[in-house]
Amino acid sequence: MKLKNPYTFFDQFCLRTPLLSLDFYRNLTNSETIGIEEFKGIWKDDILREAIFLASPELFSEIEKWLSGTLKDHQKSKRLESSLLKYISRMSSRCTPFGLFAGCSIGQFGDVTAIELAHYDKHQRQTRFDMNFLVAFSQKISKEEVIKKQLIWYVNNSLYRIGNQYRYIEYKYNQYNRREHSIEAVGYSTYLETIIESAKLGKNISELAIVLVDDEITYEEAEGFIEELIENQILVSEIEPSVTGKGFLEQIEICLKRLNGTEAILKEISHYQKILDQVDQKLGNKEIEYLKLSERVAELKTPFELKYLFQTDLYTQTQSNQLDIRWGYKLKRLLTLLNRMSNAPSETYLQRFKQAFENRYETQEIPLATALDTEVGIGYLQHQDASDSTPFLDDLYIPSKSTSQQEIHWNHVQEILNQKLQKLYKDNGYSLELEDKDFENLKLDWTDLPDTMATIAELATVDGEKKMILSSVGGSSGANLLGRFSTGNEQIFKYVQDITRTEQEMYPDTILAEVIHLPESRTGNVIRRATVRAYEIPYLGKSNASTEQQIAISDLMISVQYGRIILRSKTLNKEIIPRLTNAHNYSANALPVYHFLCDVQKQGGRSGIGFHWGEALEKYTFLPRVVYKDFILAKARWKITVAELSFLKDSNGEERTNTINKWRSDNNIPKLIQLIDGDNTLLINLENTNSVSMWLDTIKNKSQCILEEFLFTEDGWSSDSNSIVQQKEKQYTNQFAISFYNQEKLKKAKK
């Protein structure tokens, strides 16, 4: 019996495009060399200047010196030339949103594809202070006595009781301004228990102290005790960092407005917000506007680095933004092939935890905090220390082609691919074609996939035909790639709400609760999102939901029933399924509780499906383009050792061009390629000496590099008529974030 695909696509999508057109890069690199006057001409563009200033004020300043002629160091000038060309390449070809380099907008499926961008000076933006600065600012003002006395203080939401101890997570900042977490413990006492109970709904210092005053304890002693609890982070203030809801600066402002003696700080905040609002009225602001604001901010005596002071998101405007609905149906049909080709991970952290839980507790239900405690429970990821050094991610995360938790072994899929590869190499081919019959005997299972999931796809004209380029579909939620942008654009916010509402409707008797956690101050820039679910689970992060809709870690019970981990809220007496609606790669050195909650959202199934080369990635120096009907599942790629490029070091001008052309011809490499470094890509024109120098400078400290074909081209460059996304006669690269949901599961839940 043929298993029916239960998934369908939402009627909207998110379009991601770079700030500049591909023509911009083409015109700059179309000649063999780029002259200094051309760079000077480009540098007059205020929008380009602002984008680079926001990305790197220090680099901006150095480029200014170079192009004004005041920099005499020739080698440094060449490095700056490569750096500027990198940024131009990035903002002309790469669609991943970052500052003003690229942005996003919401589109609809329709009868035809019709996408026309507005001119880039019409785009909208949202500028705010970096979370690293805001966190430092909130900590500073919360220590000022006039404010501290009036603030509402709450119990640290990581706190739980084990026997005669309370345990919780405390953090401090190291010399690199990064958070370091540690597990702390304090002995039980009736006084401490009284304060913990009193502070659950929040009280100021005076109100908490009065609770302890009696014949034996004076008010001064009680207040000192409260101060000590604050110092040790057992109590935290109402202006603890928040990553959901309104902007954190606005949340701080709202809090301060109800306090006495805060007029001066509020005046400063009002001034800051006024300047930020003015900046957001256009693209192409002068750097002096930011420098003036930074000088004003410096008067607060809150330390910051200029390069980490401002964060901006770009929201592109379109004349029309419609994608042919036939691509949605084609993608739906493609899911069947990807499903057959994708194996479940052999073992996961969660599976090992579940086995350990059953061995220890069998069918018992116990507090989650007890189970995850490394001394009295079984812990989670016990081999890791209780520390957090998750790096700041300036990029979105989408399920990659391989992870440490999805080891690719030599299976039936790899065997089929290997046979096809051997034939292709024998015939000296460039493209490998897949057919349904190649995999029709492999298992097809729809029951272990996420309720909603998303893909990033490119649409280009390849060999005269429209092709959609993608590799995987997945994620714990179809809204993960959009969460970060839900605070700055109403259309994106409504789309995210539509996805999360659909997910909740699949579980009418269960609560899907958002995990609220700030692992690192700067990470807050990419994990911030609107309030997208009715309930939240705060853990070392402030929830803006009402108290009744916050689910404390100490309120969660855990059991294993019929092979499945069940979390239950004691207060609500309902099953809780955690959700993380952002693109944070949470598994990198995360705190165990946070890691566990995020893993639970994907338990019992695959996190996604897609095409994976597996061991062939390491085995072969050339891998072909992989084609299936109207799709390209993998671009052609070359593994190049830096040693084999030594012939370029001593060549210049025409000689270098000739040697590169011969090398390209010998290896069948097109003139436009992308340098691949993880999720990062850099467009290189191998017929332009400046671009080649940029490439060599980028890889000079590496032993090898990966090159990948660039498909937004025909015969070297796209023609106007073939471009999918245009603005007037200019052509743009594109990415479409398209989300799917399990339609059959939704129908059953509504019966």
Side-chain angles (χ1 to χ4, degrees):
M1 183 180 74
K2 185 176 180 181
L3 294 175
K4 180 183 177 183
N5 178 359
Y7 286 86
T8 193
F9 49 93
F10 288 90
D11 60 3
Q12 292 181 305
F13 59 84
C14 181
L15 171 69
R16 310 194 325 184
T17 53
L19 174 70
L20 303 178
S21 68
L22 189 55
D23 299 81
F24 190 97
Y25 187 80
R26 175 190 65 187
N27 295 335
L28 181 63
T29 64
N30 223 12
S31 300
E32 187 174 324
T33 60
I34 307 170
I36 186 67
E37 293 304 319
E38 291 178 89
F39 281 116
K40 287 181 178 178
I42 288 171
W43 196 239
K44 293 177 182 177
D45 187 323
D46 287 337
I47 295 178
L48 182 146
R49 287 168 56 90
E50 183 186 15
I52 292 178
F53 177 85
L54 285 169
S56 177
E58 184 178 352
L59 177 63
F60 177 93
S61 177
E62 292 301 305
I63 292 175
E64 284 273 76
K65 295 176 186 176
W66 162 48
L67 293 178
S68 67
T70 59
L71 183 65
K72 303 304 180 183
D73 187 328
H74 177 71
Q75 290 299 320
K76 189 171 184 179
S77 295
K78 296 302 291 183
R79 291 196 298 272
L80 289 170
E81 177 186 296
S82 291
S83 296
L84 177 56
L85 192 53
K86 279 182 187 178
Y87 275 134
I88 292 171
S89 170
R90 206 280 187 213
M91 66 178 81
S92 300
S93 62
R94 193 169 174 220
C95 299
T96 306
F98 173 70
L100 294 180
F101 286 7
C104 51
S105 60
I106 294 296
Q108 301 272 348
F109 284 100
D111 295 336
V112 296
T113 296
I115 302 176
E116 175 78 16
L117 297 177
H119 190 268
Y120 60 66
D121 64 4
K122 302 296 183 185
H123 297 334
Q124 296 178 355
R125 52 183 289 177
Q126 183 189 45
T127 306
R128 59 199 179 278
F129 286 128
D130 187 284
M131 277 293 287
N132 198 57
F133 165 72
L134 289 178
V135 170
F137 177 56
S138 68
Q139 289 179 326
K140 179 180 180 296
I141 62 176
S142 67
K143 293 176 181 178
E144 295 181 8
E145 283 301 313
V146 67
I147 293 176
K148 182 178 180 181
K149 297 288 188 183
Q150 299 178 76
L151 286 174
I152 303 300
W153 296 85
Y154 297 86
V155 178
N156 183 324
N157 53 36
S158 70
L159 184 139
Y160 61 96
R161 182 178 172 182
I162 293 286
N164 289 322
Q165 282 188 337
Y166 285 105
R167 297 183 183 179
Y168 65 100
I169 302 294
E170 182 180 11
Y171 66 84
K172 62 181 179 180
Y173 284 89
N174 62 22
Q175 58 181 327
Y176 306 107
N177 205 28
R178 302 182 66 93
R179 278 196 184 193
E180 290 181 346
H181 292 96
S182 60
I183 298 176
E184 301 295 334
V186 59
Y188 170 84
S189 71
T190 55
Y191 301 121
L192 181 56
E193 181 183 35
T194 298
I195 293 302
I196 288 173
E197 288 299 315
S198 298
K200 282 185 176 179
L201 298 179
K203 285 184 170 64
N204 63 37
I205 291 175
S206 175
E207 291 170 332
L208 290 171
I210 289 173
V211 172
L212 296 179
V213 174
D214 59 20
D215 294 339
E216 298 180 352
I217 300 176
T218 66
Y219 177 83
E220 288 72 21
E221 291 172 328
E223 187 178 55
F225 181 63
I226 302 302
E227 294 276 3
E228 188 176 348
L229 296 182
I230 291 172
E231 180 67 25
N232 288 281
Q233 296 178 26
I234 294 173
L235 295 177
V236 295
S237 83
E238 60 184 302
I239 52 174
E240 272 291 288
S242 172
V243 292
T244 57
K246 296 178 179 178
F248 189 36
L249 182 62
E250 185 179 355
Q251 293 184 37
I252 294 173
E253 184 179 26
I254 291 171
C255 170
L256 294 179
K257 280 182 176 178
R258 64 171 183 76
L259 307 184
N260 297 320
T262 59
E263 293 79 12
I265 296 178
L266 284 170
K267 183 178 180 181
E268 286 300 296
I269 291 176
S270 177
H271 175 77
Y272 303 154
Q273 195 58 60
K274 181 180 179 181
I275 299 300
L276 293 175
D277 290 343
Q278 288 176 353
V279 162
D280 282 342
Q281 295 304 305
K282 67 172 186 176
L283 272 68
N285 295 282
K286 301 291 186 181
E287 65 276 9
I288 190 64
E289 299 296 329
Y290 296 103
L291 294 174
K292 285 181 179 178
L293 180 54
S294 67
E295 290 172 2
R296 181 82 174 253
V297 170
E299 295 175 7
L300 289 175
K301 307 300 182 185
T302 300
F304 66 86
E305 294 180 72
L306 182 58
K307 65 179 178 179
Y308 295 143
L309 184 56
F310 303 105
Q311 281 288 312
T312 299
D313 290 323
L314 182 68
Y315 299 97
T316 49
Q317 300 300 297
T318 60
Q319 304 292 345
S320 59
N321 195 356
Q322 180 175 284
L323 181 62
D324 192 333
I325 198 170
R326 285 176 290 187
W327 283 112
Y329 292 117
K330 289 177 182 180
L331 265 171
K332 177 182 167 80
R333 290 192 289 271
L334 173 65
L335 295 185
T336 299
L337 175 76
L338 299 181
N339 192 339
R340 293 186 189 278
M341 295 182 69
S342 305
N343 297 315
S346 56
E347 187 178 37
T348 65
Y349 293 129
L350 199 66
Q351 288 170 340
R352 290 199 290 268
F353 171 83
K354 183 173 64 176
Q355 184 61 56
F357 186 95
E358 290 182 301
N359 291 341
R360 175 79 171 269
Y361 301 109
E362 297 181 335
T363 60
Q364 292 183 67
E365 183 185 56
I366 66 169
L368 175 64
T370 300
L372 296 181
D373 188 277
T374 54
E375 292 185 16
V376 301
I378 57 176
Y380 195 66
L381 308 184
Q382 294 178 349
H383 62 286
Q384 293 188 0
D385 295 329
S387 64
D388 189 325
S389 57
T390 305
F392 166 67
L393 305 175
D394 63 2
D395 224 337
L396 292 178
Y397 171 79
I398 187 168
S400 58
K401 296 185 179 183
S402 63
T403 70
S404 60
Q405 294 308 304
Q406 186 171 344
E407 298 178 4
I408 306 295
H409 300 286
W410 199 258
N411 52 38
H412 292 302
V413 173
Q414 305 306 312
E415 185 63 36
I416 293 168
L417 291 177
N418 186 56
Q419 291 175 3
K420 285 179 168 288
L421 274 175
Q422 298 312 312
K423 184 177 186 307
L424 179 129
Y425 291 145
K426 183 178 179 181
D427 297 338
N428 199 29
Y430 185 85
S431 293
L432 186 154
E433 187 169 347
L434 301 182
E435 299 179 90
D436 288 314
K437 65 181 181 181
D438 295 330
F439 306 96
E440 61 186 1
N441 293 324
L442 299 184
K443 180 183 177 183
L444 181 64
D445 186 3
W446 298 105
T447 63
D448 63 346
L449 292 176
D451 302 321
T452 68
M453 50 188 180
T455 186
I456 290 289
E458 300 170 330
L459 195 56
T461 302
V462 182
D463 298 331
E465 297 181 349
K466 296 288 190 298
K467 295 287 185 181
M468 185 168 273
I469 308 146
L470 82 164
S471 59
S472 60
V473 186
S476 59
S477 169
N480 285 357
L481 299 172
L482 304 168
R484 170 186 168 191
F485 306 101
S486 59
T487 63
N489 183 276
E490 187 66 20
Q491 285 184 305
I492 294 178
F493 172 57
K494 289 181 178 178
Y495 183 32
V496 170
Q497 278 189 316
D498 189 25
I499 295 173
T500 56
R501 182 169 51 248
T502 298
E503 292 170 349
Q504 182 61 73
E505 288 174 352
M506 294 182 191
Y507 298 90
D509 300 318
T510 302
I511 293 174
L512 273 60
E514 189 73 13
V515 179
I516 307 299
H517 176 63
L518 179 63
E520 187 71 52
S521 294
R522 294 215 69 232
T523 311
N525 295 313
V526 294
I527 66 175
R528 62 189 293 272
R529 64 270 195 202
T531 301
V532 296
R533 300 186 194 273
Y535 287 86
E536 296 182 344
I537 305 173
Y539 182 73
L540 291 182
K542 176 189 167 187
S543 170
N544 288 301
S546 65
T547 305
E548 294 76 17
Q549 291 173 298
Q550 294 182 35
I551 302 169
I553 296 297
S554 58
D555 183 54
L556 288 172
M557 305 293 290
I558 182 173
S559 62
V560 175
Q561 301 176 21
Y562 303 104
R564 180 171 169 267
I565 293 172
I566 302 293
L567 295 179
R568 182 180 67 88
S569 163
K570 291 184 294 184
T571 303
L572 301 172
N573 194 27
K574 280 188 175 278
E575 182 183 349
I576 306 298
I577 298 179
R579 283 286 188 265
L580 185 71
T581 315
N582 62 36
H584 184 214
N585 187 6
Y586 65 83
S587 61
N589 297 316
L591 287 172
V593 171
Y594 178 54
H595 196 162
F596 170 80
L597 290 172
C598 294
D599 275 354
V600 168
Q601 68 180 331
K602 300 185 294 185
Q603 77 161 314
R606 293 171 286 177
S607 60
I609 54 178
F611 175 85
H612 305 285
W613 273 119
E615 295 179 4
L617 277 175
E618 299 298 327
K619 189 175 182 181
Y620 297 103
T621 56
F622 167 70
L623 288 172
R625 179 190 299 168
V626 179
V627 179
Y628 169 77
K629 295 182 178 178
D630 294 318
F631 294 92
I632 294 175
L633 303 182
K635 299 173 185 176
R637 56 190 284 154
W638 297 261
K639 189 192 317 182
I640 308 294
T641 62
V642 174
E644 72 181 89
L645 298 173
S646 59
F647 68 91
L648 294 173
K649 291 182 179 179
D650 300 322
S651 60
N652 290 292
E654 185 176 345
E655 180 186 357
R656 171 177 280 190
T657 301
N658 291 335
T659 54
I660 286 180
N661 287 341
K662 184 180 185 306
W663 173 75
R664 282 178 47 214
S665 177
D666 292 343
N667 292 278
N668 199 20
I669 295 176
K671 82 168 188 177
L672 286 175
I673 47 91
Q674 288 180 305
L675 175 65
I676 306 299
D677 184 10
D679 289 334
N680 297 315
T681 62
L682 180 65
L683 179 60
I684 301 161
N685 184 348
L686 291 174
E687 292 185 355
N688 178 269
T689 57
N690 305 77
S691 189
V692 170
S693 295
M694 172 189 71
W695 168 42
L696 296 177
D697 183 62
T698 304
I699 64 173
K700 63 185 178 184
N701 296 322
K702 298 180 180 293
S703 60
Q704 67 178 31
C705 66
I706 301 297
L707 301 180
E708 189 176 78
E709 64 179 338
F710 183 71
L711 293 175
F712 289 102
T713 61
E714 285 283 302
D715 299 325
W717 292 106
S718 301
S719 62
D720 294 338
S721 60
N722 287 331
S723 181
I724 308 301
V725 178
Q726 300 186 20
Q727 190 277 314
K728 300 295 184 182
E729 296 180 351
K730 297 175 183 177
Q731 57 205 320
Y732 285 74
T733 59
N734 64 72
Q735 286 181 341
F736 297 88
I738 300 172
S739 296
F740 293 83
Y741 66 97
N742 191 321
Q743 188 178 34
E744 295 304 314
K745 188 171 185 176
L746 182 62
K747 286 180 180 178
K748 289 180 181 178
K750 288 184 173 182
K751 286 183 178 179

